[in-house]
């Protein structure tokens, strides 16, 4: 059986980028994430409006990202998992954000989206790789002969988790866990690794 593990990035392997940026910039409204808002398009348009209002661009966000480290144990978890099976990180973040974080994680494969940025660094908009990207990526992997195992923490991960042969919530808020009692929930990397190993 050809397995491939599909992992979310933020909240699973690295801290939430927008929360870190919210703290660094002192703009509390930017703390809102996909754990709070199921509609990603609505969330991103709202974020871009706040950036414009405060005259903040890509450079300011990238400066904050440069200081973000993976969650404790994340790289070790990923290294061990990659020795067992293929792993792809499927994220709704952007290539312009992900680079420094991928370096710290040992350059795993990531599928994510792209920001549209003006020459002066203003973030004008964003381009989704594909609509409903996590679910559609999992379905595409299945169409070329892979069995997928997925894990994530937010509303936008539920599609890929439910569409996979096995799926796990990881450090999800209680609201998501309670609404999805059929999905096993893990709180530590050790638990998640054991859960994935049990279905490989």
């Amino acid at each position: 059986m050809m397995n491939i593990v599909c992992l979310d990035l933020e909240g699973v392997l690295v801290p939430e980028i927008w929360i870190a940026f919210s703290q660094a910039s002192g703009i509390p409204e930017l703390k809102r994430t996909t754990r709070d808002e199921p509609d990603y398009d609505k969330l991103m348009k709202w974020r871009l409006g706040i950036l414009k209002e405060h005259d903040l661009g890509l450079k300011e966000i990238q400066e904050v990202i440069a200081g973000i480290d993976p969650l404790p144990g994340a790289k070790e978890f990923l290294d061990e998992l990659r020795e067992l099976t293929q792993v792809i990180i499927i994220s709704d973040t952007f290539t312009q954000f992900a680079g420094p974080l991928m370096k710290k994680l040992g350059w795993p494969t990531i599928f994510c989206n792209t920001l549209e940025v003006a020459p002066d660094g203003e973030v004008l908009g964003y381009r989704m790789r594909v609509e409903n990207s996590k679910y559609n990526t999992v379905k595409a992997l299945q169409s070329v002969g892979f069995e997928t195992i997925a894990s994530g923490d937010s509303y936008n991960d539920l599609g890929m988790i439910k569409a996979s042969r096995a799926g796990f919530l990881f450090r999800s808020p209680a609201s998501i866990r309670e609404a999805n009692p059929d999905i096993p929930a893990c709180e530590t990397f050790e638990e998640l690794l054991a859960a994935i190993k049990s279905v490989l």
Side-chain angles (χ1 to χ4, degrees), residues 102-122:
M102 293 306 101
K103 185 176 183 181
K104 289 176 182 178
L105 286 169
W107 296 113
T109 299
I110 183 168
F111 292 176
C112 60
N113 305 309
T114 311
L115 288 172
E116 292 164 354
V117 184
D120 68 356
E122 185 190 342

Side-chain angles (χ1 to χ4, degrees), residues 60-109:
E60 288 81 5
I61 302 174
Q62 285 177 329
E63 282 167 2
V64 172
I65 292 170
I68 295 177
D69 286 319
L71 292 166
K75 185 175 186 302
E76 295 74 9
F77 160 76
L78 202 53
D79 288 345
E80 198 171 334
L81 187 57
R82 288 166 77 190
E83 285 177 21
L84 301 172
T85 186
Q86 294 295 314
V87 180
I88 296 179
I89 297 170
I90 305 176
S91 171
D92 279 337
T93 194
F94 306 96
T95 50
Q96 294 95 331
F97 291 3
L101 298 167
M102 293 306 101
K103 185 176 183 181
K104 289 176 182 178
L105 286 169
W107 296 113
T109 299

Side-chain angles (χ1 to χ4, degrees), residues 124-162:
L124 301 173
Y126 63 98
R127 211 164 55 246
M128 299 297 274
R129 188 170 45 78
V130 60
E131 195 184 337
N132 198 358
S133 64
K134 298 186 182 195
Y135 172 80
N136 282 321
T137 301
V138 156
K139 296 308 279 184
L141 289 166
Q142 291 166 355
S143 77
V144 291
F146 286 103
E147 291 274 1
T148 59
I149 298 162
S151 183
D153 67 327
S154 296
Y155 285 110
N156 62 342
D157 298 311
L158 294 172
M160 74 171 179
I161 289 172
K162 289 176 177 176

Side-chain angles (χ1 to χ4, degrees), residues 18-19 21-33 46 50 54:
W18 288 97
I19 290 178
F21 187 62
S22 162
Q23 289 161 346
S25 62
I27 304 169
E29 303 96 301
L30 286 173
K31 276 199 175 77
R32 202 166 166 73
T33 72
W46 185 73
I50 292 171
H54 291 270

